[in-house]
Amino acid sequence: MHVRWNYETRAINCMMIYSRMSQWMNLLICVLLLKKIEGLYVGITYVRNAVAKGAVCLDGSPPAYHLDKGFGTGINSWLVHFEGGGWCNNITTCLARKNTRLGSSKQMATPLAFSGIMNNMRQYNPDFYNWNRVKIRYCDGASFTGDVEAVNPATNLHFRGARIFLAVIEDLLAKGMKNAENALLSGCSAGGLASILHCDSFRALLPMGTKVKCLSDAGYFINVKDVSGAPHIQTYFNQVVSLHGSAKNLPLSCTSRLNPALCFFPQYVVQQIKTPLFVLNAAYDSWQIKNTLAPSAVDPSGTWKACKLDINTCSPIQLKTVQDFRTKFLNTLYRSTNSSSKGVYIDSCYVHCQTELQETWFMTGSPELGKTKIAKAIGDWFYDENPFQKIDCPYPCNPTCPRSDLDKQHHLDV
């Protein structure tokens, strides 16, 4: 089922309806119009034959994806997008995900709304609107890297993310991706990390003649100590890699040199990636500020609570700490993206994930960097029209940034 709405006229339409109809009917219609239904709704596809290969979600259910087929000039172009949603680092946190959409395809919404980079309207997604657009659902808890054969009958937890990745790609190849002329592997948050970790392996699975690139949205998680001086995120990622048996599925160019757990951090991987990669990230990534820099575990009194909710409320000392985080973020980025094949769009907004929301991807009022919207920068880079590599000035210099953190669904505490 495809539902199209002109996002910018919904409020106007709502007011017109109000003038003509009874109050109770108006309220009902306003609620329906103002819901986030821009773009289209796409049905779910379950990869049921993957179960026999052991490629399953945490609860043992089959993996799933949503595919909206390309048309016109985009019929042989493919955008494959990883869903995000944090990770689980121990049995307790994985059990907590097991019976949710992040651990079971039985709990996934169908159909799913496509917007932003997944939108099928040219005015809202100028370069990828008519491509085959795929959203791979995330249900393994380790950015599609895990592979543990044994299953404890007491928990019935399956750690098989790497198998899910292969099973879905094989299914898409059979459905026409084997004829792809263009292919872009993308993802948001934990999915943005997956698009980095699987970038070269994705390229290897496609035909030799295919133009393949990768895009990481809010997936450049850095290895930095929290406000207490503890290596919180490094410890957490180490637990994820260990629990899920991820080491053997992380890039060999990294694991051959470093502790495999470090290879979950893009800063140790990106420089060795051979496939062209675009890094889209906020220098003040709201998820990293909330969970890496000032996790709740090291702030029991809630000193950082207001600052994490709204960067404008940070005290001078907190703001200096946040600015120091930006400096460390940029230092790791400089060392790993110094190649002409890599694209870089680092704005100074307080957000997390900018490709999936229409408001930040491409519409009136969307964020800009160098007078360029995100969609324009990525489209030009993919088609080799402009090797976009720009970093924004420090907060609060960019007036095009949204006033608040728009993305809430990926803010799972660690």
Side-chain angles (χ1 to χ4, degrees):
M1 176 175 67
H2 290 194
V3 181
R4 296 186 176 90
W5 286 92
N6 185 322
Y7 182 83
E8 296 176 297
T9 62
R10 283 181 288 166
I12 296 174
N13 290 341
C14 190
M15 293 173 63
M16 293 174 64
I17 291 171
Y18 183 78
S19 68
R20 297 196 301 267
M21 306 185 70
S22 63
Q23 186 173 8
W24 71 269
M25 183 63 75
N26 164 74
L27 291 173
L28 174 62
I29 294 176
C30 281
V31 169
L32 293 173
L33 286 174
L34 295 177
K35 290 184 77 165
K36 290 194 172 183
I37 53 175
E38 65 268 26
L40 70 155
Y41 282 82
V42 179
I44 197 166
T45 298
Y46 299 101
V47 190
R48 299 192 186 278
N49 64 0
V51 176
K53 305 172 186 175
V56 294
C57 299
L58 285 173
D59 72 334
S61 58
Y65 63 84
H66 301 256
L67 164 63
D68 188 51
K69 293 184 178 180
F71 57 93
T73 57
I75 198 167
N76 286 321
S77 295
W78 290 75
L79 169 65
V80 179
H81 187 84
F82 288 117
E83 181 181 29
W87 309 269
C88 59
N89 64 320
N90 56 45
I91 297 300
T92 301
T93 55
C94 288
L95 284 174
R97 293 169 73 100
K98 180 182 172 183
N99 295 315
T100 73
R101 65 175 178 83
L102 293 172
S104 173
S105 60
K106 298 174 184 177
Q107 306 299 325
M108 294 174 181
T110 177
L112 187 72
F114 273 21
S115 64
I117 196 171
M118 309 301 287
N119 205 308
N120 70 333
M121 292 183 281
R122 188 171 191 171
Q123 64 266 41
Y124 295 125
N125 189 20
D127 289 293
F128 308 110
Y129 73 99
N130 64 348
W131 284 31
N132 297 280
R133 283 154 291 108
V134 181
K135 188 163 190 175
I136 304 178
R137 301 306 299 269
Y138 181 39
C139 65
D140 68 279
S143 291
F144 300 88
T145 62
D147 192 352
V148 176
E149 182 65 33
V151 177
N152 186 336
T155 63
N156 196 38
L157 285 171
H158 299 71
F159 304 118
R160 306 282 180 76
R163 297 192 200 185
I164 290 176
F165 167 68
L166 286 173
V168 171
I169 297 303
E170 287 173 358
D171 202 60
L172 295 175
L173 288 169
K175 290 184 176 177
M177 197 165 68
K178 64 180 181 295
N179 301 316
E181 296 171 0
N182 298 295
L184 178 63
L185 183 70
S186 67
C188 155
S189 190
L193 174 59
S195 69
I196 291 174
L197 299 178
H198 286 297
C199 185
D200 282 342
S201 58
F202 177 71
R203 172 68 191 89
L205 291 168
L206 270 69
M208 286 294 294
T210 307
K211 181 187 184 76
V212 181
K213 296 190 178 185
C214 303
L215 161 65
S216 172
D217 175 14
Y220 199 93
F221 299 93
I222 66 169
N223 186 10
V224 63
K225 293 181 179 178
D226 62 33
V227 291
S228 75
H232 177 78
I233 194 65
Q234 182 178 328
T235 300
Y236 183 86
F237 277 179
N238 184 68
Q239 292 167 345
V240 172
V241 171
S242 176
L243 178 67
H244 291 261
S246 299
K248 57 183 172 290
N249 296 308
L250 297 175
L252 184 61
S253 59
C254 179
T255 57
S256 63
R257 299 179 294 111
L258 301 172
N259 180 331
L262 291 176
C263 300
F264 217 62
F265 288 101
Q267 68 199 72
Y268 306 114
V269 174
V270 166
Q271 193 168 16
Q272 283 76 40
I273 292 177
K274 297 177 181 178
T275 308
L277 170 70
F278 195 106
V279 176
L280 164 65
N281 227 100
Y284 306 93
D285 184 285
S286 58
W287 189 95
Q288 295 194 61
I289 298 297
K290 294 173 182 179
N291 294 280
T292 298
L293 182 64
S296 299
V298 300
D299 184 34
S301 62
T303 304
W304 277 83
K305 185 175 180 180
C307 176
K308 292 194 293 183
L309 287 174
D310 184 354
I311 194 172
N312 296 298
T313 66
C314 295
S315 69
I317 294 176
Q318 289 173 331
L319 192 56
K320 182 182 183 304
T321 302
V322 170
Q323 295 289 16
D324 289 344
F325 173 87
R326 172 184 180 269
T327 299
K328 293 172 184 175
F329 179 91
L330 295 181
N331 284 341
T332 69
L333 190 73
Y334 289 139
R335 290 193 291 268
S336 60
T337 58
N338 55 352
S339 165
S340 60
S341 70
K342 291 182 171 65
V344 175
Y345 192 112
I346 308 298
D347 58 33
S348 60
C349 305
Y350 188 63
V351 294
H352 181 68
C353 288
Q354 300 180 81
T355 58
E356 295 180 350
L357 294 175
Q358 200 61 54
E359 293 93 329
T360 47
W361 174 246
F362 192 79
M363 62 181 290
T364 302
S366 293
E368 296 183 2
L369 179 52
K371 298 183 178 180
T372 305
K373 295 184 188 297
I374 293 168
K376 172 69 172 171
I378 292 172
D380 286 354
W381 168 81
F382 184 88
Y383 287 110
D384 302 315
E385 295 175 5
N386 181 12
F388 198 94
Q389 292 185 333
K390 293 187 185 299
I391 295 173
D392 211 349
C393 47
Y395 169 87
C397 70
N398 191 335
T400 69
C401 287
R403 293 183 180 180
S404 62
D405 181 13
L406 296 171
D407 182 70
K408 307 298 181 186
Q409 64 177 318
H410 301 293
H411 285 170
L412 303 176
D413 290 341
V414 300

